[in-house]
Amino acid sequence: MADRAPGGDGLRAALSTLDGPLRFLLLSSFLIPLGSFMVLPFMSVFLHERLGMGLGTVGVVLAVASLVQFSGGVVGGALADRIGLRRTMLWALVIRTAGFVGLLLALRWPPLAVGALVLTCCGAALYLPANKAYLVHGVDDERRPAFLSAGNAALNAGMAVGPLIAGPFVLSSPGWLFIAVTALFVLVTAGHARLPATTAQEHPSEQGLLTGIALLPFATNALAFYLYFHFQHFLAVYAAERASSTFYSLVLLLCFVLVIVVQPLASGLIRRMPYATALAVGFGGLAAGLAVLTIGTRPALLAGGALITLGDIVLFLKNDLEALSRSPRSDAVVFGQQRLAAGLGACASGVLGGQLYGLTEHAGSTGWFWLLAAAQCLLLPPVLLALRDRTPNHPQPHDDEGALRPHDTDGRVPGR
């Protein structure tokens, strides 16, 4: 079995079972963020310098877009529950492609840029739950971590490479850049049209978007993203004072590489890890990394980023696996609910973390911001463990031999 083999061998054994459609889906999991991150990381610069928007307006636009992209996943999951996984991915890609066309047209009519950006985020919100559900549907518990971590690795690889390719062209040749990204999305959309079809449930669920939610993984995901986005939102400002924007990019690149390399290799270990242990390891890594950032040197920035990423590798994957096992809803709905939690956490981090960073900056010691964030990593998880003790255990949908029981597919989107 995959989990009994050494990390690399178990991973190769699991991934060797991928068929052609799933290999294409993994390739798309690289190409889609590659195209998106050729544009989205530079939107603040593009909107401000190229289209002349004020920074206050830019901040509001980006906050709304981020909230839509994360929290809209709960709608994407519900849509996949009704019309099927492939059809949901196709509609999502059509919407996202239209958004990039809109950005191209915004070079002539700037007000269109706001709607185009939100449109691309709507497409992302619809796509990801269906993508992840398609990737793991019908896959036994032993291989699910390998498949999910491979998808995460592909996504992070695209996110890392996209800005490197597009950086020189965002302001000098944005038209050609938007044309190239639009063409890439047209090709990916055409490829998705050739995937084996999935169908909606024979009797679509009338349950609400949050019905059957796995409470503890949902709360953990919200808290993990809340704490992680202290790092995402504010490290750029902190690093600019002590290093440079180039060095900040190097820190982010290290974080991407760790996810790409470590998470697939550790996926079997993370699956076997007790949930309480995963919470302790994950939040402990976050706390250690945030505390190290207080030192403020270049080695500390690298070490802090690495520790934070290693903690999140455990937390994010384990939460997905726990949510899937605890919820009676379809995989797509579960992933959508987890995206909603991520959006709420990221939004809270921007609001509360921004106030906290401003206070420490006004006091003349932004290092305290990271210490206070680290303290939250140690103080808040025990509340989750108390919640865990109050949460009833859900039966696992597999017998001792790992064979699917009949109820495993009840209420789930039919597979390939």
Side-chain angles (χ1 to χ4, degrees):
M1 295 252 188
D3 66 320
R4 295 173 186 166
D9 292 341
L11 176 66
R12 284 190 293 270
L15 296 182
S16 67
T17 62
L18 286 167
D19 56 18
L22 291 187
R23 291 179 187 274
F24 170 77
L25 205 63
L26 282 180
L27 176 62
S28 298
S29 296
F30 168 76
L31 293 176
I32 289 172
L34 171 71
S36 298
F37 273 69
M38 289 170 66
V39 174
L40 298 183
F42 305 103
M43 284 308 299
S44 59
V45 178
F46 177 75
L47 293 175
H48 178 58
E49 296 190 14
R50 183 78 185 194
L51 301 185
M53 291 186 182
L55 286 176
T57 303
V58 169
V60 171
V61 170
L62 294 181
V64 171
S66 297
L67 187 61
V68 169
Q69 182 166 339
F70 276 103
S71 300
V74 72
V75 178
L79 181 64
D81 222 17
R82 287 187 168 270
I83 69 173
L85 301 177
R86 185 180 71 100
R87 290 178 65 189
T88 300
M89 288 190 288
L90 277 173
W91 276 111
L93 288 171
V94 168
I95 291 171
R96 206 162 191 188
T97 303
F100 286 113
V101 172
L103 289 175
L104 177 63
L105 297 177
L107 294 174
R108 293 293 184 90
W109 190 40
L112 191 60
V114 175
L117 177 60
V118 173
L119 203 60
T120 65
C121 292
C122 288
L126 295 177
Y127 180 82
L128 190 60
N131 169 278
K132 295 176 77 171
Y134 196 108
L135 188 63
V136 301
H137 182 78
V139 175
D140 59 65
D141 281 351
E142 290 180 357
R143 290 183 297 157
R144 279 193 167 198
F147 283 24
L148 284 175
S149 60
N152 290 338
L155 184 144
N156 278 270
M159 291 167 63
V161 175
L164 296 177
I165 296 175
F169 308 107
V170 171
L171 294 180
S172 62
S173 305
W176 287 108
L177 178 63
F178 294 154
I179 289 173
V181 172
T182 302
L184 175 62
F185 269 83
V186 168
L187 291 175
V188 170
T189 303
H192 277 68
R194 296 179 61 85
L195 288 174
T198 63
T199 58
Q201 295 185 59
E202 184 177 350
H203 302 289
S205 173
E206 298 297 332
Q207 295 175 309
L209 295 178
L210 299 182
T211 303
I213 198 168
L215 183 59
L216 179 56
F218 183 90
T220 300
N221 217 40
L223 180 58
F225 270 83
Y226 162 71
L227 294 168
Y228 174 71
F229 266 77
H230 282 63
F231 171 73
Q232 279 285 82
H233 283 315
F234 306 109
L235 183 65
V237 179
Y238 184 74
E241 300 172 352
R242 292 159 178 79
S244 65
S245 58
T246 301
F247 190 82
Y248 169 67
S249 299
L250 180 62
V251 174
L252 293 185
L253 183 60
L254 171 65
C255 297
F256 284 131
V257 170
L258 285 174
V259 175
I260 294 166
V261 175
V262 174
Q263 191 176 71
L265 293 175
S267 59
L269 175 63
I270 294 171
R271 182 186 76 84
R272 297 191 301 271
M273 189 180 295
Y275 197 26
T277 302
L279 293 181
V281 171
F283 284 113
L286 273 173
L290 290 167
V292 167
L293 292 178
T294 304
I295 300 171
T297 63
R298 292 191 175 201
L301 295 178
L302 286 171
L307 288 169
I308 289 168
T309 302
L310 292 173
D312 282 326
I313 283 173
V314 176
L315 281 175
F316 294 158
L317 179 57
K318 189 65 177 180
N319 276 329
D320 278 348
L321 296 172
E322 284 290 319
L324 288 170
S325 69
R326 289 168 180 253
S327 175
R329 302 295 298 276
S330 73
D331 291 350
V333 168
V334 172
F335 286 128
Q337 291 171 343
Q338 290 296 94
R339 290 286 289 178
L340 172 61
L344 294 175
C347 184
S349 178
V351 174
L352 300 178
Q355 296 296 320
L356 183 59
Y357 194 91
L359 289 174
T360 57
E361 185 178 46
H362 183 72
S365 181
T366 50
W368 279 101
F369 171 78
W370 305 109
L371 284 179
L372 291 172
Q376 292 180 74
C377 293
L378 300 177
L379 295 175
L380 295 178
V383 178
L384 289 177
L385 291 178
L387 178 65
R388 174 177 177 264
D389 293 336
R390 294 172 177 268
T391 303
N393 293 325
H394 293 279
Q396 295 294 326
H398 299 271
D399 60 24
D400 292 338
E401 284 71 40
L404 291 174
R405 292 179 181 175
H407 71 268
D408 183 60
T409 54
D410 288 350
R412 294 186 181 273
V413 178
R416 297 173 289 284

